[in-house]
Tab-separated table of all heavy atoms in Angstrom:
chain	number	residue	atom	x	y	z
A	1179	ILE	N	-1.241	6.572	-22.721
A	1179	ILE	CA	-2.272	6.096	-23.639
A	1179	ILE	C	-1.741	5.986	-25.076
A	1179	ILE	O	-2.064	5.059	-25.813
A	1179	ILE	CB	-3.522	7.028	-23.578
A	1179	ILE	CG1	-4.197	6.853	-22.212
A	1179	ILE	CG2	-4.504	6.756	-24.687
A	1179	ILE	CD1	-4.680	5.425	-21.916
A	1186	LYS	N	-1.452	-2.021	-28.614
A	1186	LYS	CA	-2.675	-2.805	-28.848
A	1186	LYS	C	-2.841	-3.104	-30.339
A	1186	LYS	O	-3.144	-4.206	-30.736
A	1186	LYS	CB	-3.918	-2.036	-28.353
A	1186	LYS	CG	-4.203	-2.250	-26.880
A	1186	LYS	CD	-5.602	-1.764	-26.512
A	1186	LYS	CE	-5.960	-2.212	-25.108
A	1186	LYS	NZ	-7.213	-1.703	-24.588
A	1234	ILE	N	3.330	-9.726	-18.621
A	1234	ILE	CA	3.463	-8.263	-18.534
A	1234	ILE	C	4.428	-7.774	-19.615
A	1234	ILE	O	5.517	-8.333	-19.789
A	1234	ILE	CB	4.016	-7.855	-17.156
A	1234	ILE	CG1	3.112	-8.410	-16.038
A	1234	ILE	CG2	4.127	-6.342	-17.037
A	1234	ILE	CD1	3.873	-8.650	-14.755
A	1235	LEU	N	4.000	-6.720	-20.297
A	1235	LEU	CA	4.850	-6.130	-21.325
A	1235	LEU	C	5.108	-4.678	-20.939
A	1235	LEU	O	4.163	-3.925	-20.692
A	1235	LEU	CB	4.119	-6.185	-22.675
A	1235	LEU	CG	4.886	-5.719	-23.895
A	1235	LEU	CD1	6.066	-6.642	-24.197
A	1235	LEU	CD2	3.969	-5.673	-25.108
A	1269	GLU	N	8.278	23.151	-28.765
A	1269	GLU	CA	8.683	24.520	-29.143
A	1269	GLU	C	10.029	24.866	-28.501
A	1269	GLU	O	10.891	25.495	-29.125
A	1269	GLU	CB	7.632	25.538	-28.679
A	1269	GLU	CG	6.479	25.667	-29.661
A	1269	GLU	CD	5.275	26.406	-29.067
A	1269	GLU	OE1	5.412	27.038	-27.999
A	1269	GLU	OE2	4.199	26.337	-29.693
A	1274	LYS	N	15.965	25.627	-28.965
A	1274	LYS	CA	17.351	25.266	-28.624
A	1274	LYS	C	18.160	24.937	-29.884
A	1274	LYS	O	19.374	25.059	-29.896
A	1274	LYS	CB	17.384	24.010	-27.731
A	1274	LYS	CG	17.022	24.244	-26.267
A	1274	LYS	CD	16.991	22.879	-25.555
A	1274	LYS	CE	16.428	22.957	-24.158
A	1274	LYS	NZ	17.437	23.116	-23.121
A	1276	LYS	N	17.570	26.296	-32.875
A	1276	LYS	CA	17.389	27.369	-33.858
A	1276	LYS	C	18.716	27.615	-34.591
A	1276	LYS	O	19.764	27.643	-33.939
A	1276	LYS	CB	16.971	28.640	-33.098
A	1276	LYS	CG	16.163	29.604	-33.904
A	1276	LYS	CD	15.462	30.541	-32.972
A	1276	LYS	CE	15.713	31.965	-33.380
A	1276	LYS	NZ	15.212	32.878	-32.328
A	1278	VAL	N	20.570	25.729	-36.164
A	1278	VAL	CA	21.488	24.573	-36.251
A	1278	VAL	C	21.244	23.899	-37.606
A	1278	VAL	O	20.092	23.634	-37.970
A	1278	VAL	CB	21.221	23.575	-35.088
A	1278	VAL	CG1	22.048	22.311	-35.259
A	1278	VAL	CG2	21.512	24.246	-33.747
A	1289	CYS	N	13.569	2.351	-28.151
A	1289	CYS	CA	12.584	1.666	-27.313
A	1289	CYS	C	13.150	0.331	-26.830
A	1289	CYS	O	13.643	-0.459	-27.642
A	1289	CYS	CB	11.317	1.401	-28.126
A	1289	CYS	SG	10.128	0.377	-27.249
A	1291	MET	N	11.926	-3.055	-24.773
A	1291	MET	CA	10.726	-3.731	-24.259
A	1291	MET	C	11.147	-4.856	-23.344
A	1291	MET	O	12.165	-5.520	-23.600
A	1291	MET	CB	9.933	-4.340	-25.401
A	1291	MET	CG	9.246	-3.305	-26.208
A	1291	MET	SD	7.602	-3.823	-26.636
A	1291	MET	CE	6.937	-2.240	-27.087
A	1293	LEU	N	9.540	-8.308	-21.287
A	1293	LEU	CA	8.413	-9.228	-21.132
A	1293	LEU	C	8.664	-10.038	-19.872
A	1293	LEU	O	9.724	-10.658	-19.735
A	1293	LEU	CB	8.358	-10.147	-22.357
A	1293	LEU	CG	7.119	-11.014	-22.509
A	1293	LEU	CD1	5.929	-10.165	-22.905
A	1293	LEU	CD2	7.355	-12.078	-23.577
A	1315	ALA	N	7.174	22.119	-36.023
A	1315	ALA	CA	6.339	20.959	-35.698
A	1315	ALA	C	5.414	20.680	-36.876
A	1315	ALA	O	4.952	21.603	-37.543
A	1315	ALA	CB	5.531	21.250	-34.442
A	1336	THR	N	7.005	11.878	-37.708
A	1336	THR	CA	6.250	10.672	-37.350
A	1336	THR	C	4.826	11.028	-36.899
A	1336	THR	O	3.965	10.155	-36.836
A	1336	THR	CB	6.984	9.849	-36.263
A	1336	THR	OG1	7.514	10.733	-35.264
A	1336	THR	CG2	8.127	9.051	-36.848
A	1367	GLY	N	3.117	-22.350	-25.681
A	1367	GLY	CA	3.493	-23.198	-24.550
A	1367	GLY	C	4.592	-24.165	-24.886
A	1367	GLY	O	4.658	-25.265	-24.391
Side-chain angles (χ1 to χ4, degrees):
I1179 291 300
K1186 274 194 170 174
I1234 304 152
L1235 185 66
E1269 276 166 14
K1274 283 175 189 266
K1276 207 162 129 190
V1278 174
C1289 173
M1291 288 222 163
L1293 190 72
T1336 42

